[in-house]
Amino acid sequence: MRWVRVLLRRVAGIVPSGRRELEMRAEIESHLVMHIDDNVRAGMDAREARRQAILKLGGVEMTKQAYREQSTLPFLETLMQDLRFAARQLRRSPGFAVTAVAMLALGMAASVAIFAFVDAALIQPLPYRQPTQLVDVTETIAMMGRANLSYMDYVDWKRDNKVFSSFAAYTGTGALLPTDKGSEVVTGMRVTDGFFRTLGVVPVVGRDFYAGEDQPGAAKSVILSYPAWQRRYAGSRDVIGKTVELSGVPMTIVGVLPESFQFIRRNNAEFWEVLQQSKGCEDRRSCHNLIGVARVKDGVTVAAAQAEMETIADRLEGQYPDSNRGQKASVIPLSEAFIGDMRPILLTLLGGAGLLLLIACVNVSSLLLVRSESRRREIAVRGALGASRGRLSRQFITEALLLVGAGSVIGLVAALGAMKLLLHLLSKDMLVRMPYLNGLGANLHVMLFAGGVALMAAVVFSVTPMLRLAGVNVREGLAEGSRGSAGVLWRRLGSHLVVVELAIAVVLLVGAGLLAKSFYKLLNVEMGFVPDHLATISVAMPDLQYADGVKQTALMKRVVDEVSAQPGVKAAGTTSVLPLSGNGNTDWIRFVGRPYDGKHIEVNEREVSPGFFAALGTRLLRGRHFNDADDVSKPKVVMVNEAFAKKYYPGEDPIGKVFGGTGLDPKTLRTIVGVVEDVREASLDTETWATEYEPFAQSPDSYFSLVVRTSQDETGMMPSIVAAIHRIDPALGTADEATMGARINDSETAYLHRSSAWLVGGFAVLALVLSVVGLYGVIAYSVSQRTREIGVRMALGAQRGSVYGLILREAGWLAGWGIVAGLGCAVGAAMLMRSLLFGTAAWDVGTLGSVATVLGVSAMVASYLPARRAAMVNPVEALRAE
Amino acid sequence: MGAKDRADVWQGTLALMVLKTIEAMGSLHGYGIARRIEQTSGDVLELNYGTLYPALLKLEQEGAIAAEWGVSENNRKAKFYSLTRAGRKQLAREAKNWEQTTAILARFLAPDEAV
């Protein structure tokens, strides 16, 4: 431990202290005086006595130096000297220092902030026990790939597999919760009893579901989310054992989930009820409403699990051909299922930020090259005075460290600010869907990444001026105005760096252009309805009071009538699934009078009110709309969308044609009465499938979504619409009030496209500025180096125009190469991110052309200024100058 | 000066000599320590007095000795060094080590008489 004490005191000794120096001198002086006294006493004369004393000491200065070296750490001492010298150097050229630090901070801030998002989403493990063992298990169908799992298949899969240590299933649900203010629609989740055990989540209060609790006949129990416990039950522990009525069904509260619990698929679910096989969907093998989550056994790979589930699915397909034809299995890592769709956009953004960082580094490097050029003499002088090559290199490294240190600190602070800002820009709904962003911040990964970037920058910035050092010849460097190998090095390396910069700028600009174009196309995609002045709201009826279809239909009609009667409302209609909710909620059909091979014909199925399409503003292409006469007492009718008509009745008139369920049971047969244009049912960037619309009255439900066409601002209308619904029956639940415009803007697709377009656009603008500044610097420097040459040319009769030409040609070559190389790389980069493009090709000529033009013009403007200076050169002065 | 007969102070041993000297003499200044070491060695050691000061500083940094300004016997201002408790322990420990080392070496170097 003694050496630690010594080290600390020596480190402390680095701070220069006048007192310590004085004390040392006094001690040595006192030593000499005492020695001289003794010598005089021994008979020497005063001069000899002093000489002998100093001789015996071994030299006063030598002693002092040895003493000083012991009192501090010589290495650190010189480092401090270097730092002070470097700081002085940078202060002497504040323009250079500020530019370099700012560029570095910019690159650092962008890349670190984006990396933090990448880390939170893609690198941090899911917050469950041994998350790499968790897999997402679903069925697949040819039409949409991964689809839901049916309850009966789940039961067979769970029983027959030997690869999972546990296997649970879940599905989202909503329920009506009686509160003081009437019924409230709450979100919930139905999960099998092993769900939380599979994830490795343990309730903080109460207990988990016990095995067998999901069997029919067991008492129904529910576990609360932490926020629900806090908000609805004030965090009271007495809540365990209490009964809560969800949609009229009494359930016992048995536990509370931890505060940290998150489940991306339905993160805002408040009530996690045990999933017991329900009547209706879950007793039919053909009805798919679940998603599976499983933990593979130790040593079992995802691929092995996939193979096993496929085998089981194949066997079930053979056993139940009616329901399981074409139903395969899919097992993928849970992390992939949860955030796989975020990967392309995040990696694109990280790539963009990385390119920006690269431009910044290249720019700083070329600044350093220029600077080392102008410091040739300084270096030569220091070399001549005896500085070793190592010592000179260390000076450069110190300067680089100082630059990088300052840039990194500023960049890191800016990155933290940028993270906050980006989080702020996310809507609340988005944050619910991205719970992993809660942990966003300067964690270990982010700091390591920042450290790595800083280290890389420090290496590059130390090596760059050292390249110059290699070419320095002391005699040559000292010679006045000499032109050595250094100039050549600059023109070979420095000017080519700017080509790299320009190329990167092209890549970023093209990327931003393509993303912006995709976003524009996305917002202007054919919707099949008029999205403005359209309010949407979900309505749920208590199942007990509205048990049969006649009551449900009557209520639906009453709601539509009452809401339509509100001032400011033009029309209203209902649907079972709002547009833009996604493809799905499908039905298997079979056409009358056509051969059927048992292969499932799967179409979207929606139940709508007679006025639904009129309220949406969707055009009727053929036939008629539904009307109030299409009720249970009449034969079934159906409307289809254009995609349906084109796919199943190409070149035919579908009106009057009949189709039904796979068994062609007479009860299911329905006649097509109308064809409407394609309403965008799926997300903005997904084509709508063939869709059938049935009249609500012929296929009623206790739940529907209302669409309301208003003549005034739809946001302001919302409260009066809700009030009108509650006036009919306070027990009705309403939820998801939103305008269609907001649904479009806040949709995940729009959000992802918008944010990527804006962020990459921001990077591209910065890249454009940095690279053009870089080009300006290169040309300006080149002009300053060639002043004498230009003077000679002009003295020999060159016109100003040809001088312009000389400089602009040089700039043109560099810019041209940069743009051409950049366009090539840009197409490659765009191919990599084509999953983010919508309606735009990676080689979109318009975008490529505009980018080339913008960059070309900017480059010419940037080089015009130095060219003008070159043309203004006075030949006499230029020749006299050296 | 017959320099060849005199030994240069072997680096590591200087600290031990300093500690032992201060222990024997009590609080003492650098010059006094230097002279004392030379005398004790019977003037065999050729000590460059200057090397003493970094050694003293190191011992002070280690906490083995403490320094204080005082007045010498001849009324000169001087810095006096005294042993701390840690210094006493260090001296005891290193002295023991040294004795062991020399005892071992002695056995190696005097084989004839040892038989």
Side-chain angles (χ1 to χ4, degrees):
Chain A
M1 291 315 281
R2 256 189 296 148
W3 65 269
V4 177
R5 200 185 136 100
V6 174
L7 185 70
L8 284 178
R9 301 209 30 188
R10 290 179 79 172
V11 168
I14 287 168
V15 182
S17 153
R19 214 197 59 143
R20 200 173 51 233
E21 182 80 13
L22 280 180
E23 195 166 304
M24 173 188 79
R25 275 189 212 166
E27 184 172 19
I28 290 170
E29 194 48 45
S30 118
H31 172 104
L32 286 176
V33 167
M34 285 189 282
H35 200 172
I36 292 166
D37 282 355
D38 279 359
N39 284 350
V40 169
R41 230 171 283 135
M44 293 184 200
D45 65 68
R47 264 189 66 175
E48 182 60 11
R50 182 165 186 87
R51 204 184 76 88
Q52 284 298 332
I54 291 175
L55 212 59
K56 188 70 180 129
L57 186 70
V60 175
E61 280 313 314
M62 298 265 283
T63 304
K64 282 184 180 170
Q65 192 51 35
Y67 190 94
R68 282 190 204 109
E69 280 176 14
Q70 176 62 36
S71 67
T72 119
L73 294 167
F75 170 78
L76 275 179
E77 175 92 349
T78 38
L79 181 69
M80 293 302 286
Q81 276 175 17
D82 281 355
L83 274 179
R84 277 194 287 272
F85 181 70
R88 217 162 41 234
Q89 285 284 335
L90 292 180
R91 257 207 311 277
R92 255 183 24 199
S93 41
F96 163 77
V98 168
T99 316
V101 169
M103 285 190 204
L104 206 69
L106 186 72
M108 189 92 173
S111 54
V112 170
I114 297 297
F115 176 80
F117 279 82
V118 171
D119 173 59
L122 304 182
I123 300 178
Q124 295 286 354
L126 295 176
Y128 310 120
R129 182 167 52 83
Q130 287 184 282
T132 49
Q133 287 186 338
L134 292 172
V135 288
D136 192 76
V137 188
T138 65
E139 297 187 29
T140 63
I141 50 174
M143 191 168 174
M144 66 182 293
R146 294 171 60 79
N148 288 347
L149 178 61
S150 83
Y151 184 83
M152 296 178 82
D153 285 344
Y154 159 71
V155 171
D156 286 342
W157 287 17
K158 185 179 178 183
R159 191 191 55 231
D160 295 347
N161 86 80
K162 293 185 179 56
V163 289
F164 298 140
S165 58
S166 62
F167 184 15
Y170 59 91
T171 180
T173 182
L176 281 176
L177 179 75
T179 66
D180 308 341
K181 288 167 266 164
S183 285
E184 192 182 329
V185 176
V186 293
T187 52
M189 196 77 140
R190 297 173 61 227
V191 302
T192 54
D193 56 28
F195 178 79
F196 295 113
R197 276 189 295 281
T198 303
L199 295 180
V201 171
V202 180
V204 280
V205 180
R207 62 165 176 90
D208 195 354
F209 298 125
Y210 56 76
E213 206 161 3
D214 60 1
Q215 293 310 305
K220 287 215 165 193
S221 49
V222 63
I223 293 179
L224 299 178
S225 79
Y226 193 89
W229 182 50
Q230 291 294 325
R231 197 157 64 83
R232 299 186 186 278
Y233 301 95
S236 159
R237 286 174 176 265
D238 300 342
V239 79
I240 304 300
K242 279 198 175 145
T243 302
V244 58
E245 224 174 70
L246 292 175
S247 295
V249 181
M251 297 193 190
T252 312
I253 298 172
V254 297
V256 176
L257 292 169
E259 189 172 12
S260 61
F261 174 74
Q262 49 176 257
F263 195 74
I264 233 170
R265 285 264 163 72
R266 208 176 176 89
N267 205 40
N268 55 349
E270 294 188 283
F271 293 89
W272 297 70
E273 52 183 277
V274 68
L275 187 154
Q276 295 175 356
Q277 185 176 13
S278 68
K279 289 271 172 297
C281 183
E282 281 158 20
D283 52 13
R284 280 188 285 134
R285 202 174 274 279
S286 59
C287 187
H288 303 89
N289 67 330
L290 305 178
I291 302 175
V293 57
R295 182 177 290 282
V296 292
K297 287 180 181 162
D298 284 334
V300 174
T301 62
V302 173
Q306 165 79 35
E308 166 113 347
M309 299 324 283
E310 264 173 29
T311 312
I312 297 174
D314 285 349
R315 211 195 59 233
L316 290 176
E317 191 175 358
Q319 206 172 340
Y320 309 102
D322 281 354
S323 57
N324 282 39
R325 173 118 191 203
Q327 299 285 331
K328 308 291 180 196
S330 165
V331 178
I332 60 171
L334 194 64
S335 56
E336 179 67 32
F338 277 11
I339 39 203
D341 57 341
M342 290 297 289
R343 185 169 297 131
I345 178 173
L346 281 172
L347 292 185
T348 300
L349 290 179
L350 189 63
L355 288 178
L356 188 65
L357 176 69
L358 195 59
I359 289 199
C361 284
V362 168
N363 239 338
V364 175
S365 289
S366 56
L367 279 179
L368 279 169
L369 265 183
V370 170
R371 225 170 95 79
S372 68
E373 193 72 22
S374 59
R375 283 173 68 181
R376 256 166 59 199
R377 289 199 57 202
E378 174 209 323
I379 294 161
V381 168
R382 295 178 66 196
L385 288 178
S388 67
R389 198 142 280 218
R391 188 73 186 71
L392 286 176
S393 306
R394 219 165 89 191
Q395 179 61 40
F396 289 128
I397 295 172
T398 314
E399 285 186 29
L401 285 178
L402 199 63
L403 277 181
V404 171
S408 302
V409 169
I410 298 174
L412 214 52
V413 171
L416 292 176
M419 285 179 220
K420 282 231 173 69
L421 183 73
L422 287 173
L423 271 185
H424 231 74
L425 295 179
L426 282 166
S427 72
K428 259 210 165 117
D429 288 353
M430 291 305 292
L431 274 179
V432 166
R433 268 178 273 167
M434 302 178 184
Y436 44 82
L437 292 184
N438 289 335
L440 195 75
N443 61 18
L444 182 67
H445 288 169
V446 172
M447 296 316 276
L448 280 178
F449 177 82
V453 169
L455 188 69
M456 183 208 75
V459 168
V460 170
F461 299 162
S462 316
V463 167
T464 312
M466 274 196 247
L467 285 178
R468 279 287 298 103
L469 193 62
V472 168
N473 170 313
V474 170
R475 207 169 49 84
E476 211 175 74
L478 285 175
E480 197 73 36
S482 62
R483 291 270 179 280
S485 55
V488 177
L489 179 96
W490 157 251
R491 298 188 63 178
R492 289 236 174 99
L493 185 64
S495 61
H496 289 181
L497 284 179
V498 85
V499 173
V500 175
E501 271 183 60
L502 289 167
I504 297 172
V506 170
V507 172
L508 279 172
L509 282 168
V510 169
L514 293 176
L515 288 172
K517 192 162 177 180
S518 299
F519 182 51
Y520 176 82
K521 287 238 166 136
L522 195 67
L523 287 189
N524 289 284
V525 76
E526 192 54 57
M527 298 277 190
F529 60 88
V530 184
D532 59 308
H533 289 91
L534 200 57
T536 67
I537 188 167
S538 299
V539 180
M541 314 169 204
D543 288 314
L544 296 179
Q545 287 150 268
Y546 297 89
D548 68 82
V550 177
K551 277 188 184 152
Q552 290 164 353
T553 307
L555 179 88
M556 183 278 285
K557 274 189 185 149
R558 188 128 183 253
V559 167
V560 169
D561 289 346
E562 293 284 331
V563 170
S564 304
Q566 292 291 310
V569 173
K570 281 184 178 165
T574 72
T575 174
S576 52
V577 182
L578 281 173
L580 293 174
S581 300
N583 287 317
N585 281 61
T586 54
D587 186 23
W588 291 335
I589 58 169
R590 178 173 166 184
F591 298 99
V592 172
R594 290 190 189 177
Y596 184 61
D597 59 1
K599 238 191 195 167
H600 292 144
I601 301 170
E602 187 152 7
V603 298
N604 280 330
E605 181 186 30
R606 310 281 182 260
E607 287 83 36
V608 302
S609 72
F612 174 66
F613 292 114
L616 269 190
T618 302
R619 282 175 301 135
L620 180 72
L621 302 178
R622 274 172 179 283
R624 66 164 176 92
H625 282 296
F626 294 138
N627 54 47
D628 286 341
D630 298 319
D631 61 16
V632 265
S633 64
K634 304 279 168 35
K636 284 193 163 180
V637 291
V638 68
M639 291 174 78
V640 298
N641 70 356
E642 204 177 350
F644 188 112
K646 278 193 180 142
K647 187 166 179 187
Y648 299 114
Y649 297 100
E652 279 181 86
D653 184 1
I655 302 296
K657 296 287 195 298
V658 181
F659 64 87
T662 46
L664 284 187
D665 180 343
K667 278 191 293 191
T668 67
L669 294 185
R670 42 205 187 263
T671 309
I672 300 174
V673 295
V675 179
V676 286
E677 65 177 320
D678 289 343
V679 171
R680 196 152 279 266
E681 297 286 352
S683 57
L684 291 172
D685 57 356
T686 314
E687 283 306 312
T688 304
W689 293 347
T691 306
E692 58 165 325
Y693 299 94
E694 294 172 13
F696 185 95
Q698 292 184 343
S699 182
D701 195 0
S702 63
Y703 172 95
F704 59 81
S705 291
L706 192 64
V707 296
V708 184
R709 169 77 51 200
T710 63
S711 56
Q712 34 183 293
D713 173 42
E714 66 270 35
T715 317
M717 294 289 300
M718 209 62 90
S720 68
I721 296 171
V722 174
I725 295 170
H726 281 144
R727 264 201 306 279
I728 299 169
D729 184 347
L732 293 177
T734 56
D736 304 334
E737 297 102 12
T739 66
M740 189 55 91
R743 286 175 65 89
I744 293 170
N745 267 320
D746 297 346
S747 72
E748 193 160 321
T749 319
Y751 175 78
L752 291 183
H753 277 87
R754 181 169 50 231
S755 53
S756 58
W758 275 110
L759 279 174
V760 176
F763 293 160
V765 168
L766 291 173
L768 177 68
V769 171
L770 288 186
S771 61
V772 168
V773 166
L775 180 69
Y776 168 80
V778 165
I779 301 299
Y781 181 69
S782 161
V783 167
S784 74
Q785 291 286 293
R786 293 170 76 180
T787 308
R788 191 187 166 120
E789 177 202 329
I790 293 165
V792 171
R793 282 170 185 268
M794 291 177 82
L796 292 177
Q799 296 298 305
R800 295 209 185 277
S802 71
V803 173
Y804 267 110
L806 186 74
I807 302 302
L808 288 179
R809 208 172 310 126
E810 183 184 346
W813 267 112
L814 292 175
W817 275 116
I819 290 171
V820 169
L823 289 178
C825 297
V827 173
M831 293 298 286
L832 286 179
M833 61 169 213
R834 67 181 174 282
S835 66
L836 295 180
L837 300 182
F838 174 74
T840 313
W843 49 87
D844 185 72
V845 177
T847 309
L848 294 179
S850 331
V851 167
T853 313
V854 166
L855 205 62
V857 169
S858 317
M860 282 303 113
V861 170
S863 36
Y864 173 74
L865 293 173
R868 208 169 84 104
R869 198 177 324 136
M872 292 301 152
V873 163
N874 181 337
V876 182
E877 270 173 26
L879 289 176
R880 205 195 287 141
E882 292 179 10
Chain B
M1 305 234 254
K4 277 176 193 162
D5 301 338
R6 297 185 176 193
D8 281 335
V9 179
W10 183 23
Q11 253 303 310
T13 58
L14 183 58
L16 184 53
M17 287 181 208
V18 169
L19 288 176
K20 187 67 195 171
T21 305
I22 300 175
E23 193 204 29
M25 306 290 293
S27 181
L28 192 60
H29 47 73
Y31 175 67
I33 296 170
R35 290 304 291 258
R36 179 70 193 171
I37 289 176
E38 271 188 348
Q39 281 168 15
T40 311
S41 75
D43 285 330
V44 180
L45 276 182
E46 168 84 351
L47 186 64
N48 231 343
Y49 290 175
T51 58
L52 193 64
Y53 288 95
L56 282 170
L57 179 59
K58 183 155 184 275
L59 285 170
E60 196 188 344
Q61 286 168 341
E62 287 172 353
I65 56 174
E68 198 181 10
W69 284 93
V71 180
S72 76
E73 55 275 28
N74 294 327
N75 245 345
R76 296 290 188 185
K77 218 175 137 242
K79 204 172 177 184
F80 281 78
Y81 294 93
S82 53
L83 274 187
T84 63
R85 221 168 43 192
R88 255 172 239 291
K89 275 191 212 154
Q90 189 177 336
L91 173 60
R93 196 169 52 239
E94 288 187 5
K96 204 176 142 214
N97 282 346
W98 181 255
E99 276 160 20
Q100 281 175 351
T101 312
T102 47
I104 292 167
L105 267 179
R107 268 183 249 166
F108 272 94
L109 296 177
D112 299 341
E113 288 127 70
V115 175

